[in-house]
Amino acid sequence: MKKDIKNLTLRELEGFFASLNEKKYRAKEVFNAIYKERKESFLAITTLSKEIRETLDNIFYITIFKEISRKTSKDDATKFVFELSDKRLIESVLIKNTNKIGRTWFTACLSTQVGCPLGCQFCATGKMGIIRNLETGEIVEQFLRLERENPISNIVFMGMGEPLLNYENVKKAIQILTDENGRNLGKRHITISTSGITPMIYKLADEIQSVKLAVSLHSAIQIKRDSLMPGLKNYPLNKLKEALVYYNKKTGNTVTLEYLLIDGINDSKSDAEALVKFSRDLRFVKVNLIHYNEIPINNFKPSSKEIEFQKFLLTNGLRATLRLSKGTDVSAACGQLATNSKENIQFKI
Ligand code: SAH
Ligand code: SF4
């Protein structure tokens, strides 16, 4: 069976060429051809001899997704649905950002799993359950496909799935996309968002220090968090905090706590107090308050106290921003990503 070459890091590809008694630098040539020149077939890599091109073609393939659909929202987020080789569907979002002085840049929001096993109450992906992890090459290909539209400077792993439950493949995809012989994307421009898989936060702190970390907290009160995020019961808040203290110390990076504001659920004064208390032990921390995007699988509504909640945090010395999610009118926003690949149709959400 042929393998996807986009699953291989530069080091792994060098190992492959060494096993053929070929020069190691051939791997760099392949990386350059695929990730810089964007060649989509081995036969087109004319810097390699015909013999090597044919050998590569016999052993590997280059994943190219089929695009099923794309929709652009009024605020410039384009949601793509891609079909994988086993006909499963995933979603990836290209987001155009503009700052106050009019500078624009693009961010890729990438999926890491087909579905997600953690079943958070507020999340459309969580309602799908888990179908499978994405391969390294499938994560890399999402980025390359989005970059056909515009040069991209940032990646957020905030699409479908829990990145830290597919850690090795996410790590390899980051190694490939940041490799200076290939796409050479800045590591500081990558954010991993996790629901709080504690043991993997330690691993991340030890192994991929330059990427940024965001943690979906949503409640700093244990019983509330357990009911909102039932899949996280084995990773309680006190252990999560310990992991984040370690992360701060080891990397010196700020942790962003993501906090969805849901009306009457987690937006009271005592919720805000619990959040302040949770954050107090962290050295480098900021809170990103997220506007809740309604999905038809529950009765949750966006909070009417967003500004008030933010003020409380600020007056208690916590850095806190309020984020309006982009792409709501095309279901491209956070928590709205869900595909039903069994029937090959998208949920109408
Ligand atoms: N599994 C990871 C990454 C994917 S979710 C995680 O949970 O962090 C990315 C972000 O979307 C998370 O902060 C998540 O909490 C948020 N999100 C989920 N459902 C949402 C909704 N209905 N409205 C707005 N944001 C949502
Ligand atoms: Fe999974 Fe994140 Fe959605 Fe929770 S919020 S179900 S962890 S994708």
Side-chain angles (χ1 to χ4, degrees):
M1 264 250 294
K2 284 196 190 187
K3 287 192 224 142
D4 178 9
I5 198 149
K6 289 183 193 158
N7 282 331
L8 271 60
T9 60
L10 183 69
R11 192 164 289 171
E12 289 171 336
L13 201 55
E14 284 174 347
F16 166 78
F17 279 111
S19 73
L20 295 182
N21 280 327
E22 275 290 340
K23 297 273 186 305
K24 256 170 61 173
Y25 69 79
R26 295 284 173 224
K28 291 187 179 163
E29 290 179 348
V30 171
F31 253 57
N32 186 66
I34 296 179
Y35 301 112
K36 271 198 190 141
E37 295 172 2
R38 305 295 163 99
K39 295 269 166 66
E40 295 190 342
S41 100
F42 297 114
L43 304 178
I45 308 178
T46 44
T47 45
L48 302 172
S49 70
K50 192 161 172 279
E51 201 190 337
I52 297 181
R53 278 183 268 163
E54 283 171 358
T55 309
L56 286 173
D57 201 42
N58 287 332
I59 299 175
F60 296 108
Y61 61 88
I62 304 179
T63 19
I64 308 291
F65 290 153
K66 185 171 160 195
E67 183 182 316
I68 300 295
S69 66
R70 67 167 81 184
K71 279 185 204 151
T72 301
S73 67
K74 292 188 203 104
D75 55 4
D76 278 326
T78 306
K79 178 174 78 172
F80 291 82
V81 176
F82 295 120
E83 186 183 270
L84 311 177
S85 56
D86 60 0
K87 304 269 183 230
R88 301 294 187 190
L89 303 180
I90 52 160
E91 301 185 331
S92 322
V93 187
L94 179 64
I95 302 158
K96 185 177 176 183
N97 312 98
T98 309
N99 69 6
K100 284 186 197 127
I101 55 162
R103 190 180 81 84
T104 60
W105 70 98
F106 286 85
T107 299
C109 174
L110 305 184
S111 293
T112 55
Q113 298 184 304
V114 187
C116 178
L118 296 168
C120 301
Q121 295 295 325
F122 45 79
C123 174
T125 310
K127 293 289 154 192
M128 290 173 67
I130 178 70
I131 295 170
R132 68 173 176 84
N133 277 344
L134 291 184
E135 288 180 16
T136 302
E138 292 170 329
I139 300 171
V140 171
E141 167 68 355
Q142 291 174 67
F143 179 87
L144 298 184
R145 288 302 287 273
L146 297 184
E147 205 167 47
R148 279 191 193 175
E149 314 301 319
N150 280 100
I152 295 171
S153 54
N154 294 60
I155 293 180
V156 291
F157 287 101
M158 293 187 186
M160 293 164 69
E162 169 48 54
L164 296 191
L165 290 179
N166 189 13
Y167 179 81
E168 289 305 328
N169 290 346
V170 170
K171 180 178 160 191
K172 274 175 66 175
I174 292 171
Q175 279 169 354
I176 292 168
L177 290 170
T178 57
D179 197 299
E180 60 184 18
N181 298 288
R183 176 57 185 77
N184 197 15
L185 191 79
K187 276 198 185 135
R188 301 234 157 244
H189 294 175
I190 299 176
T191 302
I192 293 182
S193 175
T194 180
S195 53
I197 310 295
T198 316
M200 304 315 286
I201 293 176
Y202 286 96
K203 211 165 152 64
L204 184 77
D206 291 339
E207 294 182 2
I208 354 182
Q209 298 177 350
S210 49
V211 303
K212 292 184 190 158
L213 180 66
V215 174
S216 297
L217 194 72
H218 309 315
S219 177
I221 299 171
Q222 191 65 57
I223 40 168
K224 241 182 227 192
R225 195 169 196 261
D226 287 349
S227 107
L228 283 172
M229 305 173 77
L232 276 301
K233 279 187 186 156
N234 289 337
Y235 307 108
L237 285 166
N238 59 345
K239 297 280 177 226
L240 176 61
K241 201 200 286 181
E242 276 171 28
L244 297 180
V245 167
Y246 179 84
Y247 178 86
N248 267 173
K249 199 165 164 213
K250 183 86 196 211
T251 66
N253 295 345
T254 297
V255 172
T256 301
L257 299 177
E258 297 170 281
Y259 196 101
L260 268 176
L261 282 169
I262 312 172
D263 197 45
I265 302 282
N266 63 353
D267 60 348
S268 70
K269 189 163 177 235
S270 57
D271 288 303
E273 280 165 356
L275 179 54
V276 169
K277 197 163 167 238
F278 182 89
S279 309
R280 208 162 268 152
D281 298 331
L282 302 176
R283 257 173 83 191
F284 312 111
V285 65
K286 65 175 188 214
V287 174
N288 202 352
L289 298 170
I290 307 169
H291 176 83
Y292 179 68
N293 297 315
E294 285 181 63
I295 47 173
I297 51 175
N298 58 43
N299 296 321
F300 294 164
K301 296 267 176 283
S303 170
S304 51
K305 298 193 218 153
E306 289 174 344
I307 306 285
E308 206 181 314
F309 200 92
Q310 182 189 22
K311 264 197 190 139
F312 184 89
L313 302 184
L314 292 172
T315 49
N316 281 278
L318 197 52
R319 281 166 70 195
T321 49
L322 190 57
R323 183 178 90 194
L324 273 180
S325 208
K326 288 200 162 214
T328 39
D329 56 326
V330 295
S331 297
C334 305
Q336 294 186 313
L337 302 182
T339 54
N340 184 343
S341 38
K342 277 190 206 115
E343 287 139 52
N344 236 12
I345 51 156
Q346 269 182 272
F347 279 140
K348 291 275 177 291
I349 59 171

